[in-house]
Amino acid sequence: FRSNLAFNAQKPLRKDTFQLNSVVATALGAADTFWRTSPYAAAALFCGFKATIADFIAQKRQMRKDKEAAEEEEDDTTESETPIAKRRSFAYLMYGALYQGITLEYLYNHVYPCIFGAASSPSTVVTKVVFDVLVQATLVTLPIAYMAKALIYQYSFGEAMRRYADDIRNHGLLTKYIALWTCLTFSIIPVHWRVTFVGVVSFLWLIVLSSIASKTR
């Protein structure tokens, strides 16, 4: 009798678990279909949203540091919290959607295979990683982030590149660029999920980039 009660009590739980698993499987299937059929839209939406959230976190961290510094100095002039810099957030939204999303979708899944081959052999992966880190990131990916801010804040590209060079020399910008995820990107990650995977693992990197690029000059 007790065993029957226990068995009957487990039925609703098993049914709810099955329904939850079914919903999750359906959602994942729909997402996979969307990523396969609309790769550019998926990449732009995901990377734009991710870049905006990363910048928001970086701004909140800086606000907290400024507040703590003001309290230590017993500065009573800062009575209200600094508002979110909307133009800065918009710059990272554009950078995330247009470059990290659409442009990298085209480069990683169309240009790179034509140049280096579509295989995932160790030699091909290493070649892609070296090119991506030493050429793509240094000469294209990072400078574009600084130029996007220059467009929004209306200062010259020359000033943007000066700030980029200064952050490399004095703030360790390139040493904070981690390339391990790139190996996974070009080896085991499915093609239609590559840019999204890059977006996920570069989330913390974008927080670092936003913080360094927005230091007081």
Side-chain angles (χ1 to χ4, degrees), residues 137-148:
T138 307
L139 301 181
V140 182
T141 300
L142 296 177
I144 283 180
Y146 283 75
M147 287 190 285

Side-chain angles (χ1 to χ4, degrees), residues 9-217:
Q10 290 177 358
K11 281 185 177 180
L13 180 61
R14 290 179 178 176
K15 183 178 180 181
D16 292 342
T17 303
F18 175 77
Q19 290 176 342
L20 178 61
N21 291 339
S22 178
V23 170
V24 172
T26 301
L28 291 176
D32 189 68
T33 300
F34 178 60
W35 255 252
R36 286 179 184 275
T37 56
S38 306
Y40 290 101
L45 289 172
F46 180 82
C47 291
F49 175 76
K50 177 262 306 182
T52 306
I53 295 300
D55 175 64
F56 177 81
I57 293 174
Q59 290 197 49
K60 283 293 185 181
R61 287 177 59 194
Q62 188 58 49
M63 289 176 190
R64 186 172 64 251
K65 290 180 180 179
D66 292 343
K67 184 178 180 180
E68 291 173 354
E71 289 175 352
E72 289 179 1
E73 297 175 1
E74 298 182 352
D75 185 1
D76 298 328
T77 59
T78 307
E79 296 180 357
S80 60
E81 188 177 87
T82 305
I84 293 293
K86 295 183 176 63
R87 288 197 298 174
R88 170 177 159 181
S89 296
F90 182 72
Y92 279 94
L93 170 64
M94 291 294 98
Y95 173 68
L98 298 179
Y99 181 75
Q100 287 196 320
I102 294 174
T103 303
L104 288 187
E105 168 67 30
Y106 179 72
L107 289 175
Y108 283 171
N109 295 333
H110 298 279
V111 176
Y112 275 31
C114 292
I115 298 176
F116 306 110
S120 57
S121 61
S123 60
T124 302
V125 171
V126 169
T127 302
K128 290 179 180 179
V129 168
V130 170
F131 180 84
D132 188 69
V133 173
L134 298 183
V135 179
Q136 175 95 16
T138 307
L139 301 181
V140 182
T141 300
L142 296 177
I144 283 180
Y146 283 75
M147 287 190 285
K149 282 195 63 181
L151 284 173
I152 300 300
Y153 283 94
Q154 298 181 346
Y155 55 82
S156 68
F157 287 160
E159 172 62 16
M161 291 301 95
R162 187 197 67 77
R163 295 185 181 191
Y164 175 50
D166 178 69
D167 288 337
I168 290 175
R169 290 193 302 266
N170 301 319
H171 301 293
L173 180 65
L174 291 183
T175 61
K176 293 180 173 68
Y177 189 86
I178 302 173
L180 176 60
W181 56 266
T182 317
C183 297
L184 298 176
T185 300
F186 296 120
S187 56
I188 64 175
I189 303 300
V191 171
H192 61 291
W193 283 104
R194 276 180 183 169
V195 174
T196 301
F197 174 74
V198 171
V200 170
V201 296
S202 67
F203 180 74
L204 294 177
W205 159 245
L206 263 181
I207 296 175
V208 173
L209 174 61
S210 176
S211 299
I212 292 177
S214 301
K215 287 183 179 293
T216 303
R217 306 290 168 173

